[in-house]
């Protein structure tokens, strides 16, 4: 399947007229894993729609990170959409979690598409709802769950999103995304192993 066919398959809900305009105005790029696509303070010039792969969106304070959400195929970044419409700097970072193909929508076209194509707005309104619910869930985890529960939930969600088990991930990366110390994660992984919930392999963690 070529790129144009992939776009029409993944974004068929947008309708043929809008899709043809998007194909004529946008570009498609492939990025290797761990490529920084957006950083805090940067003005948004293009809005990504993931065709395949996965993008991680997070905020950062000093040396701590907080995972906000993942952008999966046929999804976009609501934070980038909001920043582009207001012409304000980005408040988040975005990095590819794996090799990823992205459709890049030019910001100067977005306002026109938003006014003339209801389905285009639907793409982002639905994701605002999804991200809002994810944010509420994250707040509940932070307020009410112990860190070992948050860690296990994080690993299960990571498995589901990436569709990989075992997951190739370091204790340091987990610590960064959960906003804690690597030593704490290492201790809790051992605790989860003792509870037969996970199995630690070389540079990987298997969810049992």
């Amino acid at each position: 399947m070529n790129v144009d066919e992939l776009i029409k398959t993944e974004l068929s809900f947008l309708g043929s007229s809008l899709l043809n305009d998007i194909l004529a105005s946008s570009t498609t790029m492939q990025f290797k894993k761990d490529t920084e696509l957006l950083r805090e303070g940067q003005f948004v010039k293009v809005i990504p729609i993931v065709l395949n792969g996965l993008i991680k969106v997070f905020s950062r304070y000093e040396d701590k990170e907080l995972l906000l959400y993942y952008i999966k195929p046929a999804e976009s970044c609501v934070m980038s959409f909001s920043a582009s419409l207001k012409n304000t700097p980005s408040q988040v970072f975005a990095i590819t979690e794996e090799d990823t193909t992205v459709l890049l929508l030019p910001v100067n076209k977005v306002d026109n598409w938003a006014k003339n194509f209801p389905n285009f707005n639907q793409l982002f309104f639905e994701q605002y709802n999804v991200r809002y619910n994810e944010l509420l869930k994250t707040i509940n985890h932070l307020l009410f769950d112990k860190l070992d529960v948050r860690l296990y939930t994080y690993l299960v969600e990571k498995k589901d999103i990436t569709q990989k088990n075992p997951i190739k991930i370091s204790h340091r990366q987990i610590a960064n995304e959960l906003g804690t110390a690597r030593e704490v994660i290492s201790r809790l992984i051992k605790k989860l192993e003792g509870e037969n919930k996970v199995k630690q392999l070389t540079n990987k963690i298997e969810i049992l």
Side-chain angles (χ1 to χ4, degrees):
M1 183 182 296
N2 63 37
V3 172
D4 284 2
E5 291 173 340
L6 180 61
I7 293 170
K8 290 179 179 179
T9 299
E10 291 290 351
L11 305 177
S12 59
F13 62 92
L14 292 177
S16 58
S17 180
L18 175 55
L19 277 176
N20 289 334
D21 200 3
I22 286 175
L23 286 170
S25 307
S26 306
T27 57
T28 303
M29 295 188 67
Q30 295 180 333
F31 298 96
K32 293 292 186 181
K33 178 181 177 180
D34 296 326
T35 300
E36 183 181 76
L37 303 180
L38 183 66
R39 64 183 180 276
E40 184 179 17
Q42 178 180 342
F43 281 88
V44 176
K45 300 300 183 184
V46 291
I47 298 175
I49 296 181
V50 173
L51 300 178
N52 59 48
L54 195 64
I55 295 175
K56 176 178 71 175
V57 179
F58 61 96
S59 61
R60 181 181 291 159
Y61 179 72
E62 295 181 348
D63 61 340
K64 300 295 184 182
E65 295 179 2
L66 179 63
L67 175 66
L68 298 176
Y69 53 86
Y70 289 100
I71 309 173
K72 302 184 289 294
E75 293 184 352
S76 186
C77 180
V78 292
M79 298 294 285
S80 296
F81 181 68
S82 177
S84 70
L85 291 181
K86 297 177 181 177
N87 194 31
T88 56
S90 170
Q91 299 181 51
V92 298
F93 296 83
I95 293 178
T96 52
E97 183 77 0
E98 53 191 52
D99 291 352
T100 302
T101 303
V102 181
L103 178 67
L104 300 173
L105 310 181
V107 166
N108 60 357
K109 287 280 189 176
V110 168
D111 187 55
N112 179 63
W113 290 333
K115 290 176 180 176
N116 294 295
F117 296 97
N119 286 349
F120 185 78
N121 293 316
Q122 181 183 345
L123 168 67
F124 291 96
F125 289 154
E126 288 180 353
Q127 288 187 61
Y128 269 114
N129 184 56
V130 170
R131 303 312 179 200
Y132 178 73
N133 289 330
E134 288 176 345
L135 178 60
L136 288 181
K137 185 168 66 173
T138 298
I139 291 172
N140 285 332
H141 283 315
L142 288 170
L143 291 177
F144 304 115
D145 287 341
K146 293 182 178 179
L147 189 52
D148 60 335
V149 176
R150 287 178 56 207
L151 171 59
Y152 183 67
T153 301
Y154 163 88
L155 291 172
V156 171
E157 290 178 349
K158 191 90 161 180
K159 179 197 72 172
D160 293 341
I161 289 171
T162 62
Q163 297 184 342
K164 294 177 182 177
N165 192 26
I167 305 165
K168 187 176 181 180
I169 192 168
S170 68
H171 290 190
R172 182 171 297 281
Q173 181 181 343
I174 297 172
N176 286 341
E177 296 190 3
L178 292 182
T180 187
R182 181 186 58 78
E183 294 79 8
V184 173
I185 294 299
S186 297
R187 175 171 55 81
L188 291 178
I189 290 291
K190 289 182 179 179
K191 180 176 184 292
L192 292 177
E193 273 193 302
E195 297 171 353
N196 294 317
K197 293 182 176 179
V198 303
K199 182 178 181 181
Q200 193 164 218
L201 308 170
T202 305
N203 298 323
K204 293 182 180 180
I205 298 173
E206 182 180 1
I207 291 83
L208 302 176

